[in-house]
């Protein structure tokens, strides 16, 4: 239906105003009139039918006009259709991955030597043998030594259990050298300990008792002594160790250097 027809129908519907009261009065007069005693013409007999038909036609036109007017008032432009919002196509980029710090390369650790189980070897001299078989040794002057008193320390390491062990520390008699004490890190009851003068030296000796065993590891022996006032010469001091293990006999010896 084009716009011209729609406009004409709307104008006709608005202009039509049926006189409902007049029509009803005419219908009532026709129904209540006296009975006809004379012959009426065909036109007169058909008038009520014509009136009823006119009323029906007027009602149909009125109803149709109102319907057309309602249709005409509803324009396609009056309907607003809201389309669903299109999803956003802009994606939020994911955060960059947090870098995982790589572990620094492990420092190379030298493999321990079977003949030197713990620590550097002292520089051997013509009169020393700090290492032999399962034994490694080092003698030093204790850092707490002073002009009146001294201590010599012996560190002994073994990579095999020892079934026999004799340790001797010799302190040369340089004047007023006397024994105030000694100690070791192994059980004292496992050893027979003696201190005596021999060959111009004060000799400290530890002898492992029969049936006892020295375990694998590091062990220390210390000899304490008093001496004449002053700086004491340690050139003639020394130690010796004789031991036996499952691998056989072994012996080490040497002197006492400055404490490290």
């Amino acid at each position: 239906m084009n716009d011209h027809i729609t406009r004409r129908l709307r104008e006709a519907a608005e202009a039509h105003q049926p006189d409902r009261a007049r029509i009803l009065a005419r219908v009532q007069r026709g129904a209540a009139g006296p009975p006809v005693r004379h012959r009426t013409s065909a036109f007169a007999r058909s008038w009520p039918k014509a009136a009823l038909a006119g009323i029906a036609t007027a009602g149909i036109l009125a109803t149709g006009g109102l319907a057309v007017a309602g249709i005409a008032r509803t324009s396609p432009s009056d309907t607003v259709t809201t389309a669903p919002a299109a999803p956003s196509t802009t994606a939020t980029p994911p955060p960059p991955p947090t870098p995982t710090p790589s572990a620094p390369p492990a420092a190379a650790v030298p493999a321990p030597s079977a003949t030197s189980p713990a620590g550097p070897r002292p520089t051997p001299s013509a009169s020393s043998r700090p290492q032999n078989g399962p034994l490694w040794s080092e003698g030093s002057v204790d850092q707490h030594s002073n002009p009146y008193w001294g201590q010599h320390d012996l560190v002994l390491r073994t990579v095999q259990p020892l079934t026999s062990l004799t340790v001797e520390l010799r302190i040369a008699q340089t004047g007023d050298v006397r024994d105030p004490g000694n100690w070791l890190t192994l059980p004292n009851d496992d050893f027979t300990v003696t201190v005596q003068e021999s060959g111009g030296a004060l000799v400290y000796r530890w002898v492992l008792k029969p049936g006892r065993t020295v375990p694998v590891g590091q062990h220390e022996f210390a000899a304490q002594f008093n001496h004449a006032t002053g700086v004491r010469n340690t050139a003639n001091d020394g130690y010796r160790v004789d031991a036996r293990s499952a691998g056989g006999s072994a012996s080490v010896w040497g002197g006492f250097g400055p404490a490290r």
Side-chain angles (χ1 to χ4, degrees), residues 5 23 33 47 77 85 88 91 95 101 106 140 152 156 160 180 195 197 206 208 210 212-213 224 227 229 240 243 260:
I5 296 174
I23 293 172
W47 182 88
S77 61
S88 174
S140 63
H152 285 358
L156 178 67
Q160 294 180 1
V195 181
E197 291 271 359
W206 294 266
L208 184 65
R212 310 296 173 88
T213 303
Q224 299 173 342
H227 60 81
T229 302
R240 181 182 177 91
R260 297 187 182 185

Side-chain angles (χ1 to χ4, degrees), residues 6-256:
T6 302
R7 185 171 61 255
R8 293 294 301 273
L9 290 174
R10 184 186 299 115
E11 292 175 354
E14 292 175 352
H16 178 74
Q17 297 180 356
D19 190 349
R20 294 175 57 86
R22 182 178 180 184
I23 293 172
L24 291 176
R26 292 177 63 183
V27 172
Q28 290 175 357
R29 285 196 303 272
V36 180
R37 290 184 167 87
H38 56 83
R39 183 179 181 88
T40 58
S41 64
F43 176 81
R45 288 196 302 269
S46 62
W47 182 88
K49 296 181 179 179
L52 291 175
I55 294 173
T57 302
I60 292 171
L61 289 176
T63 305
L66 293 176
V68 170
I71 294 173
R73 290 192 186 96
T74 303
S75 174
S77 61
D78 295 337
T79 303
V80 178
T81 303
T82 303
S88 174
T89 58
T90 304
T92 302
T98 302
T100 302
S102 58
V109 179
S113 170
T115 56
S116 180
R121 305 175 184 177
T123 302
S125 63
S127 59
S128 67
R129 187 172 73 177
Q131 181 177 334
N132 179 235
L135 303 179
W136 183 94
S137 62
E138 181 178 31
S140 63
V141 177
D142 191 88
Q143 61 182 351
H144 296 101
S145 298
N146 56 59
Y148 310 98
W149 174 91
Q151 177 175 304
H152 285 358
D153 299 327
L154 172 64
V155 176
L156 178 67
R157 303 185 183 100
T158 177
V159 296
Q160 294 180 1
L162 304 178
T163 56
S164 175
L165 177 63
T166 299
V167 177
E168 287 186 357
L169 273 61
R170 298 176 64 87
I171 312 300
Q173 186 56 260
T174 55
D176 296 333
V177 175
R178 298 185 302 275
D179 167 41
N182 59 85
W183 56 265
L184 74 165
T185 56
L186 289 165
N188 194 73
D189 291 341
D190 288 354
F191 289 85
T192 300
V193 183
T194 60
V195 181
Q196 60 183 6
E197 291 271 359
S198 176
L202 188 63
V203 180
Y204 296 76
R205 181 181 290 113
W206 294 266
V207 179
L208 184 65
K209 294 179 180 179
R212 310 296 173 88
T213 303
V214 174
V216 173
Q218 174 176 304
H219 313 291
E220 295 184 31
F221 299 82
Q224 299 173 342
F225 52 90
N226 297 324
H227 60 81
T229 302
V231 177
R232 184 177 174 279
N233 185 2
T234 63
N236 295 322
D237 299 342
Y239 68 87
R240 181 182 177 91
V241 177
D242 297 299
R244 179 177 292 275
S245 66
S249 300
S251 298
V252 291
W253 59 84
F256 298 96

